[in-house]
Amino acid sequence: MDQIKDVYVLDDEIKRLKNQNQLLEEYEGPVYNHIFRKKRGQAVLDIGCNNGMKTVERFDRKEIESVTGIEYHKELVAFANTRYKGEKFVFYQADLEDSGLEMVLKKDMKEKKITGYDVINISFVLMHLKEPEKLLCRLKKYLKKNGTMMIIDAEDRFSTMVPDEQKRMKLFLDICQRDPLSGNRHSGEKIKRYLKKSGYHKIVVHSKCVNAKEKEKEKKELIFDTFFSYLPLDYAYLCETEPEDSDYFGIKRKVKQHYAIFRKEFVEKSVYVACGVMIFTCCR
Ligand SMILES: C[S@@+](CC[C@H](N)C(=O)[O-])C[C@H]1O[C@@H](n2cnc3c(N)ncnc32)[C@H](O)[C@@H]1O
């Protein structure tokens, strides 16, 4: 079983992604507005689109004519097509790390009579790939000459909680890092280098973290939920599926011991919090 990919069909994960979307709107919204200001009739490619909900939320706008979502999971693609397929949206199943992706993109471009996409969107996907640089390189030829690639990815280097005398943020960042289901937590810092190496230009970093001041309780709840709420479930799942790995049992115990108090400190105490999320745009 491919755990890394299978976790995305779980209801809890879909709920978590919904909260993540609400949180990110403030940061990504202005960047999308800037990208789409240019012209009407744009074609968008959304890479790693999950069940299509966020794809529709992000790209159901008048400047966009067509949106193609690519997702590994057949069930998620079927859900997305049943719910959203129409004149504007279509979803295909493909593994981003094998050659099936090219076939799907060529077919889609032929059907739409386009030579490339105006916008390629890759949100929280590179951190889950074995070879993210390879994908960026392969996608370059599908981005139109004046098109824009938008990337959103995690980077725990920018995560902090102040004050944090018990160093609970560090403990939980370490726990995230040990969790194979949560992807590469230091993916963000490598992206600029990958983009440069793959020959992209006009690379802009729009933001590095989401943050909340001491009194912004609701926002802190969203941040906590987005970045840490999956840990109890992930470690329960890992202990069940990999019972021979005793480390997972130790971490599961640690999560159980510190989770509630960490959440309380994070949300209710007078602390400033930030969690690393990098937003990039670049051109061909
Ligand atoms: C964290 S979710 C992000 C979903 C969405 N892009 C967003 O911003 O909310 C990552 C998605 O990428 C998909 N994914 C991961 N690896 C993939 C691969 N190799 N091929 C296709 N999709 C993949 C996962 O199944 C999942 O739906």
Side-chain angles (χ1 to χ4, degrees):
M1 178 162 58
D2 191 339
Q3 296 174 343
I4 311 286
K5 287 166 184 161
D6 286 348
V7 76
Y8 296 112
V9 294
L10 301 176
D11 286 348
D12 284 302
E13 175 60 5
I14 296 196
K15 239 185 264 162
R16 194 192 64 80
L17 287 176
K18 220 173 169 178
N19 284 344
Q20 175 174 296
N21 299 344
Q22 197 187 328
L23 171 69
L24 280 179
E25 169 55 29
E26 175 189 337
Y27 300 86
E28 62 176 39
V31 187
Y32 286 123
N33 288 342
H34 184 74
I35 293 175
F36 291 117
R37 82 198 180 284
K38 287 186 211 157
K39 57 172 181 150
R40 297 242 170 167
Q42 301 197 46
V44 174
L45 175 63
D46 192 19
I47 290 290
C49 62
N50 199 263
N51 67 359
M53 179 187 71
K54 184 64 186 175
T55 309
V56 173
E57 272 177 28
R58 276 178 177 140
F59 304 123
D60 192 9
R61 41 195 302 162
K62 60 180 183 320
E63 307 90 335
I64 298 171
E65 187 168 322
S66 74
V67 183
T68 307
I70 305 289
E71 168 57 46
Y72 176 83
H73 275 286
K74 279 200 190 83
E75 311 86 305
L76 294 173
V77 175
F79 177 94
N81 276 324
T82 307
R83 185 163 288 192
Y84 307 114
K85 188 176 171 182
E87 273 184 22
K88 194 180 257 188
F89 293 93
V90 65
F91 299 88
Y92 292 105
Q93 193 274 333
D95 186 340
L96 303 169
E97 304 214 276
D98 82 24
S99 58
L101 175 67
E102 262 80 11
M103 274 165 47
V104 168
L105 295 185
K106 280 180 186 146
K107 175 176 176 279
D108 185 58
M109 284 169 26
K110 198 171 167 195
E111 274 172 16
K112 290 178 176 157
K113 300 191 177 66
I114 55 174
T115 54
Y117 298 90
D118 297 280
V119 174
I120 298 182
N121 187 67
I122 316 176
S123 163
F124 293 106
V125 175
L126 294 177
M127 61 190 288
H128 295 290
L129 300 184
K130 291 182 207 104
E131 296 181 295
E133 188 179 353
K134 232 179 185 171
L135 178 71
L136 292 174
C137 206
R138 284 163 69 206
L139 285 175
K140 201 174 158 208
K141 64 171 179 281
Y142 298 100
L143 184 63
K144 273 193 194 159
K145 226 171 173 189
N146 295 318
T148 304
M149 180 177 272
M150 166 100 168
I151 299 173
I152 306 176
D153 225 293
E155 177 46 70
D156 281 349
R157 192 158 54 104
F158 301 116
S159 302
T160 184
M161 180 163 96
V162 186
D164 180 16
E165 278 140 29
Q166 303 302 319
K167 306 236 174 312
R168 267 190 252 274
M169 179 62 120
K170 184 180 177 325
L171 173 72
F172 273 80
L173 292 178
D174 287 346
I175 288 172
C176 289
Q177 207 161 335
R178 302 278 292 278
D179 175 1
L181 306 174
S182 87
N184 176 359
R185 312 294 316 173
H186 292 287
S187 175
E189 68 182 352
K190 301 192 183 83
I191 288 172
K192 201 167 183 180
R193 182 159 33 92
Y194 293 158
L195 290 172
K196 276 189 184 161
K197 262 178 87 182
S198 307
Y200 289 93
H201 300 285
K202 295 188 190 160
I203 304 166
V204 179
V205 180
H206 295 269
S207 68
K208 292 182 176 172
C209 64
V210 297
N211 54 10
K213 295 192 196 104
E214 288 76 354
K215 292 210 161 67
E216 293 182 290
K217 192 169 172 229
E218 263 175 47
K219 192 172 180 193
K220 284 182 179 185
E221 272 169 351
L222 279 183
I223 297 179
F224 188 90
D225 185 63
T226 299
F227 287 87
F228 304 107
S229 68
Y230 56 86
L231 289 170
L233 274 176
D234 275 14
Y235 280 99
Y237 180 80
L238 289 165
C239 290
E240 207 179 294
T241 52
E242 296 187 43
E244 67 290 346
D245 194 330
S246 60
D247 279 0
Y248 290 146
F249 288 88
I251 302 174
K252 186 182 159 195
R253 275 196 297 277
K254 251 190 199 159
V255 172
K256 202 170 169 200
Q257 193 185 341
H258 295 272
Y259 185 84
I261 178 85
F262 178 45
R263 189 178 193 287
K264 201 166 179 277
E265 286 177 357
F266 194 102
V267 174
E268 287 175 20
K269 264 182 84 175
S270 181
V271 293
Y272 163 84
V273 295
C275 283
V277 175
M278 297 188 76
I279 301 183
F280 301 87
T281 54
C282 64
C283 300
R284 251 182 76 176

